[in-house]
């Protein structure tokens, strides 16, 4: 290499702000949740599930997804930490939900609940799981 050549790296910071807008004229405001599946193996300590959110409307929707486990023998419910998701019109999005290992042994009805506004009904999907 020639000793007169040199190279340098210049670093610069950047602040990026994302701005989104859904006009008030968009009145088609609807989303669903489906396909609740477990993706963990038996070796994992925390069970992880995925669900699919479909935004069928014309608005950007900021929604919360809750995971609820109901014991089939006692009907006792456990609500886990919610996940906040932003979905875009006519799009599908997969959300990852964690089931922490606090449930006692037994069979449970596991539900993923989609809440996207006080003026809309809750949407949900469910599956049956067993905690050993």
């Amino acid at each position: 290499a020639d000793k007169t050549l040199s190279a340098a790296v210049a670093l610069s910071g950047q602040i990026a702000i994302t701005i989104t807008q859904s006009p008030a004229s968009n009145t088609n405001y609807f989303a669903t949740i489906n396909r609740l599946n477990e993706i963990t193996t038996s070796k994992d300590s925390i069970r992880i599930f995925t669900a699919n959110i479909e935004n069928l409307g014309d608005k950007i929707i900021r929604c919360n997804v809750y995971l609820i486990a109901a014991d089939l023998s006692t009907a006792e419910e456990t609500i886990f930490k919610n996940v906040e998701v932003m979905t875009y019109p006519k799009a599908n999005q997969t959300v990852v939900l964690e089931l922490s290992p606090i449930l006692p042994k037994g069979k449970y009805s596991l539900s993923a609940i989609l809440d996207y506004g006080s003026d809309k009904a809750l949407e949900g999907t469910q599956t049956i799981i067993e905690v050993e």
Side-chain angles (χ1 to χ4, degrees):
D2 188 2
K3 292 183 180 182
T4 60
L5 294 176
S6 63
V9 175
L11 299 176
S12 63
Q14 179 182 12
I15 296 174
I17 299 172
T18 303
I19 299 173
T20 58
Q21 178 184 8
S22 285
S25 62
N26 290 357
T27 57
N28 188 5
Y29 186 57
F30 183 69
T32 63
I33 187 168
N34 53 39
R35 294 196 305 252
L36 181 60
N37 297 314
E38 184 171 9
I39 60 170
T40 53
T41 64
S42 59
K43 298 175 187 175
D44 297 328
S45 62
I46 296 177
R47 294 175 80 171
I48 299 176
F49 293 81
T50 61
N52 183 55
I53 299 173
E54 290 183 75
N55 184 344
L56 302 171
D58 295 331
K59 286 183 156 285
I60 298 170
I61 300 174
R62 183 179 305 259
C63 50
N64 288 302
V65 181
Y66 299 90
L67 197 59
I68 301 173
D71 190 327
L72 292 177
S73 61
T74 64
E76 183 179 334
E77 289 186 350
T78 305
I79 302 173
F80 296 92
K81 186 177 182 232
N82 70 305
V83 176
E84 188 173 310
V85 180
M86 185 177 295
T87 64
Y88 292 92
K90 309 293 183 201
N92 292 334
Q93 184 170 356
T94 301
V95 62
V96 177
L97 305 163
E98 292 184 4
L99 180 71
S100 58
I102 62 169
L103 295 175
K105 291 182 181 181
K107 271 191 152 181
Y108 292 87
S109 172
L110 188 66
S111 303
I113 307 298
L114 176 67
D115 180 3
Y116 62 98
S118 60
D119 59 337
K120 296 294 182 182
L122 297 175
E123 295 284 330
T125 184
Q126 75 174 39
T127 189
I128 304 296
I129 64 166
E130 189 163 340
V131 176
E132 297 177 358

